[in-house]
Amino acid sequence: MSKLILSMDGLVLKEIPLDKERLTIGRKPSNDIQIDNLAISGQHALITTILDDAFLEDLNSTNGTYVNGQPVKKHVLQANDIIELGKYRLKFIPEAAPEMISAVEGIDTAALEPIAPGADGDYSIRQGTAGAATTTSTQIIPPEVRRAIQAGDERVEGSRVGVIQVLSGANAGRELVLTKSLTTLGKPGQQVAVITRRPGGYFITHVEGANFPLLNGRAIEAQAHPLAENDVIEIAGVKMAFFLRS
């Protein structure tokens, strides 16, 4: 289970397990983490935990919320991130440190399978390794995305599985099979999107970054957008194609 280490002036005060989906931080006693200090707003910040991911959101606090010295409104927590609230520090310790994402692509290369050339010399798609991309994300996870995650990882009998094929960059010609309820793609701090798997199909949602991902050359809107066969997605400068496999 992931946890937070609360400290002040270098002195560790306590460890806080992230054992709830929503954990509030603030000065009022009603908060899950109460910090009785005038620099802290009554309702200061919120941490949402879904599966292995934790998302921090500032609740319009007076003095702001900082991560590693930078002010944030919404932020995907990474291993050893330091949340700063006045003189207090909350260090984020994930249950298991995630693999380092590619500095170039921002998607998990271990989950990508290379394309194999066919007999005629053309490249054809072959079955990839199931897995999810390294996480980073959010808006903070919209309700429709959260429901999709909580619905689990079950397939509808007879349905086809989505696949992302990388079209540009160092990982061009590789693919990621979308077998999980949620797959996160992008670069932390730059641009992140999640693809969710639902009984009705696959949907892409923007979760982090000033610019929204492009779908077939046009920026998607804030709400979840359905994906169709042969859609071209562009996230953090990397182009990817979406298709369905039986």
Side-chain angles (χ1 to χ4, degrees), residues 96-184:
E99 295 181 7
M100 292 297 292
I101 64 168
S102 164
V104 177
E105 303 297 346
I107 56 179
D108 183 7
T109 57
L112 298 171
E113 188 72 13
I115 293 178
D120 56 1
D122 293 333
Y123 279 86
S124 60
I125 299 167
R126 66 185 176 89
Q127 182 68 31
T129 303
T134 302
T135 57
T136 49
S137 105
T138 201
Q139 204 179 22
I140 227 148
I141 295 292
E144 66 270 17
V145 179
R146 184 177 302 147
R147 287 194 293 270
I149 298 168
Q150 294 172 337
D153 191 31
E154 297 181 359
R155 287 187 57 184
V156 178
E157 188 64 31
S159 65
R160 294 189 292 169
V161 176
V163 178
I164 288 291
Q165 178 187 347
V166 183
L167 302 178
S168 66
N171 285 317
R174 295 173 178 265
E175 64 181 53
L176 176 65
V177 184
L178 305 173
T179 57
K180 301 297 183 180
S181 298
L182 178 149
T183 301
T184 310

Side-chain angles (χ1 to χ4, degrees), residues 57-90:
E57 181 178 14
D58 180 78
L59 299 178
N60 297 316
S61 63
T62 301
N63 294 316
T65 300
Y66 292 74
V67 175
N68 303 326
Q70 299 298 317
V72 299
K73 286 296 183 182
K74 296 175 182 178
H75 176 78
V76 181
L77 289 171
Q78 304 295 307
N80 300 316
D81 271 353
I82 303 295
I83 304 168
E84 302 170 42
L85 307 170
K87 293 183 178 180
Y88 290 82
R89 304 289 183 269
L90 287 161

Side-chain angles (χ1 to χ4, degrees), residues 136-137 184-188 190-194 205-208 213 235:
T136 49
S137 105
T184 310
L185 301 174
K187 290 184 180 180
Q190 181 177 335
Q191 191 177 53
V192 176
V194 294
T205 306
H206 171 72
V207 292
E208 184 178 50
I235 303 173

Side-chain angles (χ1 to χ4, degrees), residues 226-245:
L227 289 172
E229 188 87 16
N230 298 319
D231 274 348
V232 175
I233 305 164
E234 185 172 343
I235 303 173
V238 178
K239 289 186 177 181
M240 295 166 266
F242 171 81
F243 61 91
L244 295 167
R245 173 181 294 152

